[in-house]
Structure formats: structure tokens, C-alpha cells
Amino acid sequence: MPTLPPEEARFSEPHQHRETAESFSTDAERYDRTRPRYPDALVGRIVAGLPGPDVLDVGCGTGIAARQFQAAGCRVLGVEPDARMAELARRSGVEAEVATFEAWDPAGRGFDAVVAGTAWHWVDPVAGATKAGQVLRPGGLLAPFWHVPQLPSNVAKAVVAVCERVMPDAPFNWAAMTAPALEMYRTQLTRAADTIRQAGGFSDPEQWRFDWERSYTRDEWLEQMPTQGAFTRLPPDKLAEILDHVGAAIDAMGGTFTMPYTTVAVTAKRTGAT
């Protein structure tokens, strides 16, 4: 799910700011409708190496990734701290329990994979990796993954200009949005790998990369923008000003644009006995 700029750029400890993590449910239906799905190649690669079909989806949200793993033949349990998001996941056919991952009680259950779709940065990184190690069966896979979108230059510049004007005190480095997107996420990805190593009991983490792209119409992109963390709690008048400005930039490009995405997973196998 694209969040521009990434939450790591906003907070040094994202997991300590639950109010932002839980603001995504202000319009859970829009979130589920507009957020991009994950590459089939990523889901397939995760599933292919598992010792069994049981997948735990941490921060499952509305069930976007969970449904993809179900379609690939897995039994999926979601853990989601926001009851509104969890309820929508349940309505879509995903079993979901309401809790933060750190506080969640596995009740003796074990899993063949622990995944997290653009949600792992909301989990205490050391506690999260340690708990994943506790619930994973030997040979099971820990695989948090993130979408990394690269807005076209003209759209990115429009977002930067209007956000610097409308949200001058927001704790974001807006100008960083015009830089290569993977650079913005490098700290987040490195930290995920380092904390998995720190937790112990895992193979050395690997990074998997999947490049793809998606075309957006003006209306499709403006429908998705309010679900991004920078805008979920913005007053309606300010949000409308931002959307109008960005919409005008997309209109000037012919009303559509193509977004290059990179989806990156940090993966490690559980070693030894649980």
C-alpha cells in the first residue's frame, strides 16, 4: 500500500504512534477498494517454500493480502489491532482476531508463515520478530513486505508543492518524494532485517524484489490518496485543496499516468525447534 512519504520518514519509532496506524480505518471500504494488491509472483514464491498451508497475516487490515494467500491455497488467520478493519476482513471471508501482534495470544497455535503486507513498521520490530519465531514451525517463513511506489515527477512535484502550502507544519520531508523511492525505504528495510537477526532463531534475512506497474486515471488516484497515512486525519477542506491541485497536475498529463511499483519482501526461515 503506498504511503507517501513512508511512515518511517515520519517517525523514528512508528510502532509507538498507534493513532496514525489506526487512522486507516476512517474509511475502511475505500481503503479496501483502492489499495493495490500484491504481485502474484510474491505470493507464489512465499507459498512455494512453506512446510504447510497455515499463514498468519500480521496487521491484516481489510484482508487484501490474506485473500490473495487464501486464493493460493493457504489457511489464513489475520491479526489486526483496529476492530473496524478486522470486521471488513471478516466480511470478505478472512478469519481475523483483534489485537496488536505484540499483545496477541497465539493460544498454542503454530504457523508455516508469518507475513505482513505494508504493516510490519507498525509492530515493535524486536518484539515482533521474537514473537514470529515463537509461533513459526521449523522451516516456516517470516516475510514482511512493502509496496514502494514511484510517482511520476510531475505528480510528485504537485503533491510536494500543495502539501508544503497546506500542511506546512506536518512532520514530513515532502521534498523527498521526488527522490528515488527505494532510497526512502532503505532504512525501513535494513531495520527489518537487522531486528530479525537480533531476535535470533532465523536464517540470515534475504530481500526479494518484484517490479511491476499500474496505470491510474485521475479519479482512481484521487480516490486512493485519502487512504494514505499523510491524509487520513486531514480536515475535509484541506484534503479537498490537495486533491484539486494534484488532480489538475494529472489532467495536464492527459488525465492518466503509469505508476512504477517495486514490492520488496524481507524474508527469513525459522531454524531449529520451536
Side-chain angles (χ1 to χ4, degrees):
M1 68 185 188
T3 301
L4 303 170
E7 299 299 344
E8 182 73 17
R10 184 178 183 185
F11 305 124
S12 60
E13 298 288 344
H15 64 277
Q16 295 178 0
H17 296 266
R18 296 303 318 168
E19 71 282 357
T20 299
E22 295 170 12
S23 71
F24 296 111
S25 66
T26 54
D27 191 343
E29 287 80 6
R30 183 203 296 254
Y31 182 102
D32 190 70
R33 183 173 64 249
T34 64
R35 286 297 185 107
R37 277 46 184 166
Y38 294 93
D40 290 339
L42 165 65
V43 175
R45 185 171 178 184
I46 290 173
V47 172
L50 299 184
D54 295 315
V55 173
L56 181 68
D57 186 1
V58 176
C60 70
T62 61
I64 291 172
R67 294 192 296 271
Q68 292 185 254
F69 281 96
Q70 286 179 330
C74 296
R75 292 191 297 260
V76 182
L77 173 65
V79 177
E80 168 55 45
D82 191 297
R84 294 167 293 184
M85 302 284 269
E87 176 57 28
L88 186 54
R90 293 189 194 105
R91 295 205 307 264
S92 73
V94 174
E95 183 182 355
E97 298 179 1
V98 178
T100 63
F101 184 49
E102 298 92 329
W104 172 70
D105 180 7
R109 290 168 290 185
F111 298 87
D112 301 298
V114 174
V115 303
T118 317
W120 194 246
H121 51 283
W122 296 120
V123 176
D124 180 287
V126 177
T130 300
K131 191 155 198 173
Q134 293 168 353
V135 301
L136 278 169
R137 296 170 180 137
L141 190 70
L142 172 58
F145 44 86
W146 290 265
H147 282 319
V148 182
Q150 182 71 63
L151 273 174
S153 177
N154 289 353
V155 180
K157 288 177 181 177
V159 174
V160 170
V162 70
C163 287
E164 287 181 341
R165 184 178 75 243
V166 175
M167 306 167 63
D169 299 322
F172 291 99
N173 177 13
W174 296 110
M177 290 177 58
T178 60
L182 275 173
E183 290 301 316
M184 296 170 62
Y185 283 77
R186 190 173 302 280
T187 298
Q188 188 167 288
L189 297 168
T190 299
R191 188 177 192 197
D194 287 346
T195 52
I196 291 170
R197 293 187 187 97
Q198 183 178 341
F202 289 96
S203 64
D204 196 51
E206 299 179 0
Q207 227 179 77
W208 299 350
R209 173 174 174 168
F210 302 85
D211 295 313
W212 55 287
E213 60 184 31
R214 174 178 168 177
S215 295
Y216 287 93
T217 66
R218 175 189 187 276
D219 290 346
E220 286 171 340
W221 183 246
L222 298 188
E223 176 79 350
Q224 187 184 122
M225 278 188 70
T227 73
Q228 297 166 9
F231 310 120
T232 51
R233 295 187 294 164
L234 203 60
D237 58 332
K238 291 188 175 183
L239 178 60
E241 185 175 349
I242 289 172
L243 295 181
D244 286 347
H245 187 85
V246 176
I250 299 172
D251 285 340
M253 300 170 61
T256 64
F257 67 90
T258 297
M259 175 92 84
Y261 280 92
T262 298
T263 301
V264 183
V266 177
T267 69
K269 282 194 173 184
R270 181 73 169 91
T271 58
T274 55

